[in-house]
Structures are given as C-alpha cells and as structure tokens.
Amino acid sequence: MQRSLSFELLRYALIAGFILISMVPTAWMISMAFKPIAEWTATGSDLTWWPRNPTLDNFRFILGQSSTELIVALERTAGRPIMSSLLSAGFGTLIAMFGGTMAAYGLSRFGAGANLPLALIQLRLFPPMAVMIPVMIMWAFLGLIDSWFGLGLIYGIVTLPFAFWLMKTFFDDMPHEIEDAARVEGCSRFRVFIRITLPMMRPALASSALFVFILNWSDYLIALLLTTRDWVTIPVYMASLSSSMTGQLYGAKAALGMIAAIPPVIMGIAIQKHLVRGLTFGALKG
C-alpha cells in the first residue's frame, strides 16, 4: 500500500514537472508582451522574468495606436493580417472538413476505391516546395495570388487528407446497425446521413475541425509564397517585425503571439464538451 502510494505521488510529480516545463515558453511570451522596450532589450542581470513596469505599448504598437517608446514606422498594422488569417484559415477548414467528411463517409460505408486513402495522403509525401512551385504558377494564372480566397482554397486542399483520415477512423468506429435501422424505417441514405450520422459525429467533427484549423492558422510557408502585401497572415507579418535600431521587436512579437493564440483557445473552449469524446472516439476499448 505504501509503495503504491509513493508510486502515485511520483507519477503526479513527474506529470506536474512536465506541465511546468511545457508552460515556460508561454509564460515567457506573456511576460515579454507586457514589458517596455527597455526591459525586453535588457541583457545579463537586468533581464527579469516578469515586467517591472507593465505596459500595453506593445499591443498599441502592432495595432497602430500611439506608443511612447516604440518609435518605428510600420508598413502595416496587425489588423489586416489578423483578418487575413481568420478568413483564410476558416475558409480552408470549411473546405477540408466538407470534402474530408464526404469522402470518409463514402469510403467507410461503400468501400469504393481501395487506393483512395493512399492517393489522398500522397500530397503530404512531397516536399512542400516541390508542391508549391506549380501551385504558385497556377494561382498566378487564376489571379488568386495575394488573396484570402486563394490562400484559403489551398489550405483546404492541403489539409483535406488530414480531415479525411481523421473522419474515416470515426466513421469506421460507428456501428452500421444504427443507420441500417433507420433505412428499414424508410429514411433515405441522405436523410440518414444528415439526421442521424452527422449528429452522432459532432464530437469527431469538433476535434477534427480544431486540428485542421490550427494547421491552417499556424501555417507560414504557404502564406509566405502566396501572399505579397495586402493579405499576409499573422506568421508572415510577425516575421517582418524588426527594426534597424533595436533588431527584432520581441515585445511586439510576443503581443501578437498572444493575440494569435486567442482564436484557437476560444474555439477549443467552445467545443470542449465534444473535444475529449472526439479525441477518444476511435480508440480501442477493452
């Protein structure tokens, strides 16, 4: 009994230690976001974990408002990149989830196209640059360069294999007998899918959508290649935050990082009642 209790205490202590270590970068970002320029450019013994004189200047700076210390001319404020990320990531998530869910249901229930799963995942097997070069040429011909619509469209195409594989696992785990019973009662295949299957798949849809949204939201390479000025996303805009006087604007980047973390956190909180069930929906039970 004593040995079992000691083992449990050690296990919880290790878990707590790993959690604390993983939270260090987040804590440092939050601290840096509220530091004035004199503190986040300090070195050696002057560097502190928490701000001595907390300020909102970093947030005011990236949003284009007045700042007392950050006298740097920005080509653009963070408002347009935030809007670009929301539109492109949201649109791409909708495309990926719609296409991935339809394909996953069809393959899971009808078994057509045995090689389709491997064909869909082949896009992820190529190096990103090898895929993006022809995409850039095609998008330039179609006039989709530097537009949130074009960026969201390629996001949906690139993340569709992830949505497909996730949803196929969930559909395979769902008993066919439930749908068969509804078919016996006279429901059409489409009505069974809309009225029975999809409501039962809400946890799976929620967890898959969150995963796909985070992939689109945090992308840097695709946005760097397909946007130039008007519709750059948050990661691309963040990379441009530098000054010839102070170098990298770490305080402004930390403030933008905090803003960038808000949509995924809000989305996770909104679907939290479905999230845990969705993440364990396809798990083996024994």
Side-chain angles (χ1 to χ4, degrees), residues 120-165:
L120 285 174
I121 205 66
Q122 281 181 353
L123 179 64
R124 308 300 304 179
L125 301 180
F126 291 96
M129 286 302 298
V131 177
M132 288 309 301
I133 291 174
V135 168
M136 288 176 62
I137 298 173
M138 187 185 306
W139 257 230
F141 177 77
L142 296 174
L144 296 177
I145 294 292
D146 200 23
S147 68
W148 70 265
F149 179 81
L151 189 58
L153 187 60
I154 193 63
Y155 279 165
I157 296 171
V158 170
T159 54
L160 189 146
F162 290 108
F164 167 78
W165 278 94

Side-chain angles (χ1 to χ4, degrees), residues 19-280:
I19 292 175
L20 290 175
I21 293 173
S22 65
M23 290 296 294
V24 168
T26 303
W28 184 252
M29 179 186 70
I30 295 173
S31 172
M32 190 73 70
F34 293 98
K35 286 182 178 180
I37 185 172
E39 293 187 27
W40 55 257
T41 55
T43 58
S45 59
D46 294 331
L47 188 64
T48 59
W49 263 101
W50 302 109
R52 299 191 187 96
N53 302 296
T55 180
L56 295 176
D57 279 350
N58 295 314
F59 295 92
R60 297 191 186 101
F61 173 68
I62 61 173
L63 295 176
Q65 300 177 10
S66 61
S67 175
T68 57
E69 295 183 347
L70 289 170
I71 312 300
V72 180
L74 283 176
E75 293 185 7
R76 64 180 76 88
T77 62
R80 191 69 174 267
I82 293 172
M83 181 61 65
S84 176
S85 291
L86 287 171
L87 290 174
S88 58
F91 184 54
T93 301
L94 289 176
I95 294 175
M97 290 304 302
F98 179 80
T101 301
M102 296 295 105
Y105 180 76
L107 190 63
S108 176
R109 290 297 181 262
F110 304 108
N115 296 323
L116 180 60
L118 292 178
L120 285 174
I121 205 66
Q122 281 181 353
L123 179 64
R124 308 300 304 179
L125 301 180
F126 291 96
M129 286 302 298
V131 177
M132 288 309 301
I133 291 174
V135 168
M136 288 176 62
I137 298 173
M138 187 185 306
W139 257 230
F141 177 77
L142 296 174
L144 296 177
I145 294 292
D146 200 23
S147 68
W148 70 265
F149 179 81
L151 189 58
L153 187 60
I154 193 63
Y155 279 165
I157 296 171
V158 170
T159 54
L160 189 146
F162 290 108
F164 167 78
W165 278 94
L166 287 170
M167 292 306 301
K168 184 179 181 301
T169 302
F170 296 133
F171 282 127
D172 289 343
D173 193 62
M174 179 181 174
H176 295 210
E177 291 77 11
I178 299 176
E179 296 177 347
D180 293 339
R183 292 293 304 279
V184 170
E185 294 296 328
C187 287
S188 64
R189 174 70 68 177
F190 180 75
R191 190 173 183 183
V192 169
F193 178 72
I194 296 297
R195 301 293 298 273
I196 296 176
T197 306
L198 282 185
M200 293 184 65
M201 286 288 111
R202 279 183 295 185
L205 288 168
S207 57
S208 299
L210 179 60
F211 176 73
V212 172
F213 179 81
I214 291 174
L215 288 178
N216 294 331
W217 181 258
S218 59
D219 168 74
Y220 175 75
L221 179 62
I222 297 176
L224 178 66
L225 296 176
L226 295 184
T227 58
T228 56
R229 178 178 176 82
D230 293 334
W231 291 100
V232 298
T233 57
I234 291 176
V236 178
Y237 176 74
M238 187 179 295
S240 68
L241 290 176
S242 61
S243 167
S244 58
M245 296 182 295
T246 60
Q248 297 295 323
L249 300 176
Y250 294 116
K253 288 185 176 184
L256 184 57
M258 285 190 61
I259 295 175
I262 293 175
V265 170
I266 292 177
M267 188 174 177
I269 293 174
I271 65 174
Q272 62 177 339
K273 65 179 181 180
H274 303 299
L275 195 56
V276 175
R277 186 183 172 195
L279 292 174
T280 58

